mmCIF file of all heavy atoms in Angstrom:
data_model
loop_
_atom_site.group_PDB
_atom_site.id
_atom_site.type_symbol
_atom_site.label_atom_id
_atom_site.label_comp_id
_atom_site.label_asym_id
_atom_site.label_seq_id
_atom_site.Cartn_x
_atom_site.Cartn_y
_atom_site.Cartn_z
ATOM 1 N N ASP A 45 139.051 102.231 127.157
ATOM 2 C CA ASP A 45 138.588 103.625 127.222
ATOM 3 C C ASP A 45 139.274 104.392 128.347
ATOM 4 O O ASP A 45 139.597 105.580 128.194
ATOM 5 C CB ASP A 45 137.074 103.668 127.413
ATOM 6 C CG ASP A 45 136.321 103.211 126.162
ATOM 7 O OD1 ASP A 45 136.949 103.148 125.089
ATOM 8 O OD2 ASP A 45 135.114 102.900 126.276
ATOM 9 N N GLU A 46 139.496 103.711 129.460
ATOM 10 C CA GLU A 46 140.170 104.364 130.588
ATOM 11 C C GLU A 46 141.618 104.704 130.231
ATOM 12 O O GLU A 46 142.119 105.784 130.572
ATOM 13 C CB GLU A 46 140.128 103.454 131.817
ATOM 14 C CG GLU A 46 140.800 104.026 133.057
ATOM 15 C CD GLU A 46 140.047 105.188 133.683
ATOM 16 O OE1 GLU A 46 138.891 105.432 133.271
ATOM 17 O OE2 GLU A 46 140.611 105.851 134.567
ATOM 18 N N TYR A 47 142.274 103.784 129.541
ATOM 19 C CA TYR A 47 143.651 104.062 129.110
ATOM 20 C C TYR A 47 143.687 105.238 128.136
ATOM 21 O O TYR A 47 144.551 106.119 128.237
ATOM 22 C CB TYR A 47 144.272 102.821 128.465
ATOM 23 C CG TYR A 47 144.856 101.848 129.467
ATOM 24 C CD1 TYR A 47 144.267 100.614 129.714
ATOM 25 C CD2 TYR A 47 146.017 102.166 130.176
ATOM 26 C CE1 TYR A 47 144.796 99.731 130.627
ATOM 27 C CE2 TYR A 47 146.567 101.292 131.101
ATOM 28 C CZ TYR A 47 145.945 100.072 131.317
ATOM 29 O OH TYR A 47 146.485 99.204 132.237
ATOM 30 N N VAL A 48 142.780 105.259 127.189
ATOM 31 C CA VAL A 48 142.741 106.351 126.218
ATOM 32 C C VAL A 48 142.545 107.692 126.932
ATOM 33 O O VAL A 48 143.211 108.691 126.618
ATOM 34 C CB VAL A 48 141.626 106.121 125.180
ATOM 35 C CG1 VAL A 48 141.420 107.366 124.323
ATOM 36 C CG2 VAL A 48 141.952 104.918 124.298
ATOM 37 N N LYS A 49 141.634 107.715 127.897
ATOM 38 C CA LYS A 49 141.371 108.940 128.666
ATOM 39 C C LYS A 49 142.648 109.416 129.375
ATOM 40 O O LYS A 49 142.998 110.604 129.330
ATOM 41 C CB LYS A 49 140.261 108.673 129.681
ATOM 42 C CG LYS A 49 139.899 109.863 130.559
ATOM 43 C CD LYS A 49 138.714 109.505 131.461
ATOM 44 C CE LYS A 49 138.295 110.683 132.348
ATOM 45 N NZ LYS A 49 139.322 110.990 133.359
ATOM 46 N N CYS A 50 143.339 108.486 130.035
ATOM 47 C CA CYS A 50 144.552 108.843 130.772
ATOM 48 C C CYS A 50 145.654 109.326 129.833
ATOM 49 O O CYS A 50 146.410 110.253 130.160
ATOM 50 C CB CYS A 50 145.048 107.658 131.582
ATOM 51 S SG CYS A 50 143.977 107.201 132.953
ATOM 52 N N ILE A 51 145.757 108.680 128.681
ATOM 53 C CA ILE A 51 146.786 109.074 127.714
ATOM 54 C C ILE A 51 146.514 110.482 127.199
ATOM 55 O O ILE A 51 147.429 111.313 127.114
ATOM 56 C CB ILE A 51 146.843 108.059 126.554
ATOM 57 C CG1 ILE A 51 147.340 106.697 127.071
ATOM 58 C CG2 ILE A 51 147.761 108.564 125.441
ATOM 59 C CD1 ILE A 51 147.154 105.569 126.084
ATOM 60 N N LYS A 52 145.282 110.760 126.870
ATOM 61 C CA LYS A 52 144.934 112.095 126.367
ATOM 62 C C LYS A 52 145.177 113.159 127.427
ATOM 63 O O LYS A 52 145.541 114.299 127.107
ATOM 64 C CB LYS A 52 143.488 112.113 125.898
ATOM 65 C CG LYS A 52 143.264 111.330 124.610
ATOM 66 C CD LYS A 52 141.817 111.404 124.148
ATOM 67 C CE LYS A 52 141.624 110.707 122.810
ATOM 68 N NZ LYS A 52 140.213 110.748 122.346
ATOM 69 N N GLU A 53 144.993 112.781 128.699
ATOM 70 C CA GLU A 53 145.233 113.726 129.799
ATOM 71 C C GLU A 53 146.695 113.730 130.234
ATOM 72 O O GLU A 53 147.072 114.527 131.100
ATOM 73 C CB GLU A 53 144.344 113.359 130.995
ATOM 74 C CG GLU A 53 142.845 113.508 130.734
ATOM 75 C CD GLU A 53 142.002 112.999 131.897
ATOM 76 O OE1 GLU A 53 142.581 112.379 132.820
ATOM 77 O OE2 GLU A 53 140.782 113.217 131.879
ATOM 78 N N GLN A 54 147.498 112.823 129.657
ATOM 79 C CA GLN A 54 148.908 112.652 130.048
ATOM 80 C C GLN A 54 149.028 112.418 131.562
ATOM 81 O O GLN A 54 149.926 112.958 132.229
ATOM 82 C CB GLN A 54 149.743 113.858 129.622
ATOM 83 C CG GLN A 54 149.819 114.045 128.114
ATOM 84 C CD GLN A 54 150.702 113.002 127.439
ATOM 85 O OE1 GLN A 54 151.928 113.095 127.473
ATOM 86 N NE2 GLN A 54 150.080 111.990 126.820
ATOM 87 N N ASN A 55 148.128 111.585 132.072
ATOM 88 C CA ASN A 55 148.055 111.309 133.500
ATOM 89 C C ASN A 55 148.902 110.085 133.831
ATOM 90 O O ASN A 55 148.429 108.946 133.849
ATOM 91 C CB ASN A 55 146.594 111.082 133.904
ATOM 92 C CG ASN A 55 146.414 111.035 135.415
ATOM 93 O OD1 ASN A 55 147.359 110.766 136.161
ATOM 94 N ND2 ASN A 55 145.204 111.322 135.868
ATOM 95 N N ARG A 56 150.164 110.318 134.121
ATOM 96 C CA ARG A 56 151.094 109.220 134.391
ATOM 97 C C ARG A 56 150.740 108.476 135.679
ATOM 98 O O ARG A 56 150.871 107.249 135.750
ATOM 99 C CB ARG A 56 152.530 109.748 134.475
ATOM 100 C CG ARG A 56 153.077 110.243 133.152
ATOM 101 C CD ARG A 56 154.452 110.881 133.316
ATOM 102 N NE ARG A 56 154.994 111.340 132.048
ATOM 103 C CZ ARG A 56 155.748 110.612 131.235
ATOM 104 N NH1 ARG A 56 156.080 109.376 131.600
ATOM 105 N NH2 ARG A 56 156.192 111.105 130.102
ATOM 106 N N ASP A 57 150.328 109.198 136.692
ATOM 107 C CA ASP A 57 150.012 108.555 137.974
ATOM 108 C C ASP A 57 148.855 107.576 137.830
ATOM 109 O O ASP A 57 148.896 106.458 138.369
ATOM 110 C CB ASP A 57 149.671 109.613 139.028
ATOM 111 C CG ASP A 57 150.871 110.449 139.419
ATOM 112 O OD1 ASP A 57 152.010 109.997 139.190
ATOM 113 O OD2 ASP A 57 150.668 111.562 139.951
ATOM 114 N N ARG A 58 147.833 107.972 137.108
ATOM 115 C CA ARG A 58 146.684 107.082 136.921
ATOM 116 C C ARG A 58 147.057 105.887 136.047
ATOM 117 O O ARG A 58 146.605 104.765 136.294
ATOM 118 C CB ARG A 58 145.524 107.862 136.289
ATOM 119 C CG ARG A 58 144.279 107.024 136.012
ATOM 120 C CD ARG A 58 143.761 106.334 137.251
ATOM 121 N NE ARG A 58 142.597 105.497 136.948
ATOM 122 C CZ ARG A 58 142.261 104.415 137.630
ATOM 123 N NH1 ARG A 58 142.999 104.024 138.674
ATOM 124 N NH2 ARG A 58 141.185 103.736 137.285
ATOM 125 N N LEU A 59 147.891 106.117 135.051
ATOM 126 C CA LEU A 59 148.366 104.998 134.227
ATOM 127 C C LEU A 59 149.127 103.993 135.083
ATOM 128 O O LEU A 59 148.954 102.779 134.933
ATOM 129 C CB LEU A 59 149.266 105.502 133.095
ATOM 130 C CG LEU A 59 148.575 106.150 131.900
ATOM 131 C CD1 LEU A 59 149.601 106.742 130.951
ATOM 132 C CD2 LEU A 59 147.693 105.137 131.172
ATOM 133 N N MET A 60 149.953 104.486 135.982
ATOM 134 C CA MET A 60 150.696 103.595 136.867
ATOM 135 C C MET A 60 149.743 102.779 137.736
ATOM 136 O O MET A 60 149.954 101.578 137.967
ATOM 137 C CB MET A 60 151.664 104.405 137.737
ATOM 138 C CG MET A 60 152.559 103.557 138.629
ATOM 139 S SD MET A 60 153.698 102.505 137.713
ATOM 140 C CE MET A 60 154.927 103.717 137.187
ATOM 141 N N GLU A 61 148.676 103.407 138.217
ATOM 142 C CA GLU A 61 147.678 102.691 139.015
ATOM 143 C C GLU A 61 147.007 101.592 138.199
ATOM 144 O O GLU A 61 146.808 100.466 138.679
ATOM 145 C CB GLU A 61 146.619 103.670 139.530
ATOM 146 C CG GLU A 61 147.109 104.640 140.586
ATOM 147 C CD GLU A 61 146.021 105.619 141.000
ATOM 148 O OE1 GLU A 61 144.859 105.421 140.586
ATOM 149 O OE2 GLU A 61 146.322 106.583 141.728
ATOM 150 N N LEU A 62 146.647 101.904 136.981
ATOM 151 C CA LEU A 62 145.981 100.923 136.120
ATOM 152 C C LEU A 62 146.897 99.745 135.808
ATOM 153 O O LEU A 62 146.443 98.598 135.712
ATOM 154 C CB LEU A 62 145.542 101.589 134.812
ATOM 155 C CG LEU A 62 144.367 102.567 134.890
ATOM 156 C CD1 LEU A 62 144.201 103.303 133.563
ATOM 157 C CD2 LEU A 62 143.078 101.825 135.243
ATOM 158 N N LEU A 63 148.177 100.013 135.655
ATOM 159 C CA LEU A 63 149.129 98.972 135.278
ATOM 160 C C LEU A 63 149.544 98.095 136.451
ATOM 161 O O LEU A 63 149.997 96.960 136.250
ATOM 162 C CB LEU A 63 150.386 99.610 134.666
ATOM 163 C CG LEU A 63 150.205 100.283 133.307
ATOM 164 C CD1 LEU A 63 151.396 101.174 132.996
ATOM 165 C CD2 LEU A 63 150.025 99.241 132.209
ATOM 166 N N THR A 64 149.413 98.591 137.659
ATOM 167 C CA THR A 64 149.916 97.882 138.838
ATOM 168 C C THR A 64 148.921 96.844 139.332
ATOM 169 O O THR A 64 147.742 97.132 139.521
ATOM 170 C CB THR A 64 150.222 98.884 139.969
ATOM 171 O OG1 THR A 64 151.220 99.810 139.520
ATOM 172 C CG2 THR A 64 150.721 98.151 141.208
ATOM 173 N N ASN A 65 149.420 95.633 139.523
ATOM 174 C CA ASN A 65 148.641 94.543 140.114
ATOM 175 C C ASN A 65 149.455 93.989 141.268
ATOM 176 O O ASN A 65 150.354 93.159 141.075
ATOM 177 C CB ASN A 65 148.342 93.468 139.070
ATOM 178 C CG ASN A 65 147.377 92.404 139.586
ATOM 179 O OD1 ASN A 65 147.406 92.039 140.756
ATOM 180 N ND2 ASN A 65 146.522 91.900 138.709
ATOM 181 N N ALA A 66 149.177 94.460 142.475
ATOM 182 C CA ALA A 66 149.980 94.110 143.647
ATOM 183 C C ALA A 66 149.985 92.610 143.906
ATOM 184 O O ALA A 66 151.009 92.039 144.304
ATOM 185 C CB ALA A 66 149.460 94.852 144.874
ATOM 186 N N ARG A 67 148.859 91.946 143.666
ATOM 187 C CA ARG A 67 148.775 90.502 143.913
ATOM 188 C C ARG A 67 149.709 89.737 142.979
ATOM 189 O O ARG A 67 150.435 88.833 143.414
ATOM 190 C CB ARG A 67 147.343 90.022 143.734
ATOM 191 C CG ARG A 67 147.151 88.524 143.997
ATOM 192 C CD ARG A 67 145.718 88.109 143.759
ATOM 193 N NE ARG A 67 145.321 88.342 142.382
ATOM 194 C CZ ARG A 67 145.588 87.480 141.389
ATOM 195 N NH1 ARG A 67 146.259 86.362 141.624
ATOM 196 N NH2 ARG A 67 145.201 87.744 140.157
ATOM 197 N N VAL A 68 149.716 90.112 141.712
ATOM 198 C CA VAL A 68 150.597 89.454 140.742
ATOM 199 C C VAL A 68 152.061 89.711 141.083
ATOM 200 O O VAL A 68 152.907 88.804 140.997
ATOM 201 C CB VAL A 68 150.276 89.943 139.315
ATOM 202 C CG1 VAL A 68 151.339 89.464 138.324
ATOM 203 C CG2 VAL A 68 148.902 89.456 138.881
ATOM 204 N N GLU A 69 152.383 90.926 141.504
ATOM 205 C CA GLU A 69 153.761 91.250 141.871
ATOM 206 C C GLU A 69 154.210 90.443 143.081
ATOM 207 O O GLU A 69 155.349 89.954 143.136
ATOM 208 C CB GLU A 69 153.893 92.749 142.138
ATOM 209 C CG GLU A 69 153.733 93.600 140.890
ATOM 210 C CD GLU A 69 153.821 95.087 141.179
ATOM 211 O OE1 GLU A 69 154.210 95.451 142.319
ATOM 212 O OE2 GLU A 69 153.505 95.887 140.278
ATOM 213 N N GLU A 70 153.324 90.279 144.057
ATOM 214 C CA GLU A 70 153.655 89.485 145.240
ATOM 215 C C GLU A 70 153.896 88.025 144.863
ATOM 216 O O GLU A 70 154.849 87.396 145.344
ATOM 217 C CB GLU A 70 152.523 89.577 146.264
ATOM 218 C CG GLU A 70 152.814 88.816 147.555
ATOM 219 C CD GLU A 70 151.671 88.912 148.553
ATOM 220 O OE1 GLU A 70 150.651 89.557 148.230
ATOM 221 O OE2 GLU A 70 151.807 88.340 149.653
ATOM 222 N N GLN A 71 153.067 87.481 143.994
ATOM 223 C CA GLN A 71 153.244 86.103 143.539
ATOM 224 C C GLN A 71 154.560 85.949 142.782
ATOM 225 O O GLN A 71 155.270 84.949 142.940
ATOM 226 C CB GLN A 71 152.077 85.691 142.639
ATOM 227 C CG GLN A 71 150.751 85.530 143.377
ATOM 228 C CD GLN A 71 149.597 85.231 142.424
ATOM 229 O OE1 GLN A 71 149.677 85.498 141.217
ATOM 230 N NE2 GLN A 71 148.512 84.692 142.957
ATOM 231 N N LEU A 72 154.887 86.937 141.970
ATOM 232 C CA LEU A 72 156.142 86.904 141.220
ATOM 233 C C LEU A 72 157.333 86.820 142.164
ATOM 234 O O LEU A 72 158.246 86.006 141.963
ATOM 235 C CB LEU A 72 156.236 88.147 140.342
ATOM 236 C CG LEU A 72 157.428 88.315 139.394
ATOM 237 C CD1 LEU A 72 157.084 89.306 138.292
ATOM 238 C CD2 LEU A 72 158.682 88.805 140.110
ATOM 239 N N LEU A 73 157.346 87.652 143.199
ATOM 240 C CA LEU A 73 158.481 87.681 144.120
ATOM 241 C C LEU A 73 158.602 86.383 144.911
ATOM 242 O O LEU A 73 159.719 85.897 145.157
ATOM 243 C CB LEU A 73 158.352 88.880 145.062
ATOM 244 C CG LEU A 73 158.435 90.258 144.390
ATOM 245 C CD1 LEU A 73 158.189 91.363 145.404
ATOM 246 C CD2 LEU A 73 159.788 90.450 143.701
ATOM 247 N N LYS A 74 157.484 85.799 145.282
ATOM 248 C CA LYS A 74 157.527 84.510 145.976
ATOM 249 C C LYS A 74 158.066 83.420 145.068
ATOM 250 O O LYS A 74 158.879 82.585 145.480
ATOM 251 C CB LYS A 74 156.125 84.138 146.478
ATOM 252 C CG LYS A 74 155.637 84.964 147.657
ATOM 253 C CD LYS A 74 154.255 84.517 148.110
ATOM 254 C CE LYS A 74 153.785 85.310 149.323
ATOM 255 N NZ LYS A 74 152.416 84.899 149.749
ATOM 256 N N ARG A 75 157.593 83.414 143.822
ATOM 257 C CA ARG A 75 158.055 82.414 142.852
ATOM 258 C C ARG A 75 159.548 82.596 142.588
ATOM 259 O O ARG A 75 160.313 81.628 142.494
ATOM 260 C CB ARG A 75 157.263 82.563 141.564
ATOM 261 C CG ARG A 75 157.653 81.567 140.466
ATOM 262 C CD ARG A 75 156.786 81.705 139.243
ATOM 263 N NE ARG A 75 156.954 82.982 138.573
ATOM 264 C CZ ARG A 75 156.017 83.917 138.480
ATOM 265 N NH1 ARG A 75 154.839 83.747 139.036
ATOM 266 N NH2 ARG A 75 156.257 85.047 137.838
ATOM 267 N N LEU A 76 159.974 83.847 142.483
ATOM 268 C CA LEU A 76 161.368 84.142 142.207
ATOM 269 C C LEU A 76 162.273 83.663 143.347
ATOM 270 O O LEU A 76 163.351 83.097 143.106
ATOM 271 C CB LEU A 76 161.531 85.647 142.005
ATOM 272 C CG LEU A 76 162.785 86.114 141.303
ATOM 273 C CD1 LEU A 76 162.739 85.745 139.831
ATOM 274 C CD2 LEU A 76 162.947 87.623 141.454
ATOM 275 N N LYS A 77 161.821 83.862 144.575
ATOM 276 C CA LYS A 77 162.618 83.418 145.718
ATOM 277 C C LYS A 77 162.765 81.907 145.718
ATOM 278 O O LYS A 77 163.872 81.371 145.923
ATOM 279 C CB LYS A 77 161.978 83.881 147.028
ATOM 280 C CG LYS A 77 162.768 83.461 148.269
ATOM 281 C CD LYS A 77 162.156 84.031 149.543
ATOM 282 C CE LYS A 77 162.975 83.640 150.765
ATOM 283 N NZ LYS A 77 162.413 84.204 152.019
ATOM 284 N N ALA A 78 161.672 81.201 145.469
ATOM 285 C CA ALA A 78 161.728 79.732 145.435
ATOM 286 C C ALA A 78 162.674 79.261 144.338
ATOM 287 O O ALA A 78 163.481 78.345 144.545
ATOM 288 C CB ALA A 78 160.331 79.159 145.221
ATOM 289 N N LYS A 79 162.586 79.875 143.169
ATOM 290 C CA LYS A 79 163.467 79.486 142.064
ATOM 291 C C LYS A 79 164.931 79.754 142.408
ATOM 292 O O LYS A 79 165.800 78.914 142.148
ATOM 293 C CB LYS A 79 163.097 80.267 140.799
ATOM 294 C CG LYS A 79 161.840 79.805 140.096
ATOM 295 C CD LYS A 79 161.633 80.631 138.841
ATOM 296 C CE LYS A 79 160.429 80.182 138.046
ATOM 297 N NZ LYS A 79 160.272 80.956 136.796
ATOM 298 N N ALA A 80 165.206 80.945 142.958
ATOM 299 C CA ALA A 80 166.586 81.307 143.264
ATOM 300 C C ALA A 80 167.178 80.363 144.304
ATOM 301 O O ALA A 80 168.370 80.035 144.249
ATOM 302 C CB ALA A 80 166.657 82.754 143.751
ATOM 303 N N ILE A 81 166.357 79.914 145.251
ATOM 304 C CA ILE A 81 166.829 78.971 146.263
ATOM 305 C C ILE A 81 167.104 77.609 145.626
ATOM 306 O O ILE A 81 168.164 77.006 145.831
ATOM 307 C CB ILE A 81 165.809 78.844 147.412
ATOM 308 C CG1 ILE A 81 165.726 80.156 148.201
ATOM 309 C CG2 ILE A 81 166.187 77.695 148.340
ATOM 310 C CD1 ILE A 81 164.637 80.170 149.252
ATOM 311 N N ILE A 82 166.154 77.121 144.855
ATOM 312 C CA ILE A 82 166.297 75.782 144.269
ATOM 313 C C ILE A 82 167.420 75.752 143.239
ATOM 314 O O ILE A 82 168.299 74.884 143.279
ATOM 315 C CB ILE A 82 164.970 75.338 143.629
ATOM 316 C CG1 ILE A 82 163.904 75.160 144.710
ATOM 317 C CG2 ILE A 82 165.152 74.030 142.860
ATOM 318 C CD1 ILE A 82 162.513 74.908 144.174
ATOM 319 N N TYR A 83 167.417 76.695 142.302
ATOM 320 C CA TYR A 83 168.439 76.695 141.256
ATOM 321 C C TYR A 83 169.830 76.951 141.828
ATOM 322 O O TYR A 83 170.827 76.522 141.236
ATOM 323 C CB TYR A 83 168.139 77.765 140.204
ATOM 324 C CG TYR A 83 166.840 77.600 139.466
ATOM 325 C CD1 TYR A 83 166.299 78.657 138.732
ATOM 326 C CD2 TYR A 83 166.127 76.405 139.490
ATOM 327 C CE1 TYR A 83 165.103 78.525 138.043
ATOM 328 C CE2 TYR A 83 164.928 76.267 138.818
ATOM 329 C CZ TYR A 83 164.414 77.332 138.104
ATOM 330 O OH TYR A 83 163.235 77.200 137.431
ATOM 331 N N GLY A 84 169.883 77.659 142.960
ATOM 332 C CA GLY A 84 171.176 78.018 143.526
ATOM 333 C C GLY A 84 171.796 76.969 144.407
ATOM 334 O O GLY A 84 172.915 77.150 144.889
#
């Protein structure tokens, strides 16, 4: 329902907030660094 509301309002900033998960992004970057070191 929140996504539908934002889409109808064309609220890009709020959509970006809903889509962003800082914790997951931080975990991704840590995992990526470990992989790049090991594979390299």
Side-chain angles (χ1 to χ4, degrees):
D45 290 345
E46 180 70 10
Y47 276 110
V48 170
K49 179 176 181 292
C50 292
I51 293 168
K52 289 182 176 179
E53 295 174 351
Q54 296 287 282
N55 190 338
R56 292 174 179 270
D57 292 340
R58 178 56 182 152
L59 283 173
M60 184 64 76
E61 290 177 9
L62 288 171
L63 292 165
T64 300
N65 188 324
R67 181 182 61 83
V68 170
E69 292 178 11
E70 182 180 1
Q71 290 175 340
L72 183 159
L73 295 176
K74 288 181 178 179
R75 180 177 65 246
L76 198 71
K77 181 176 182 179
K79 285 182 177 182
I81 293 174
I82 294 172
Y83 299 164

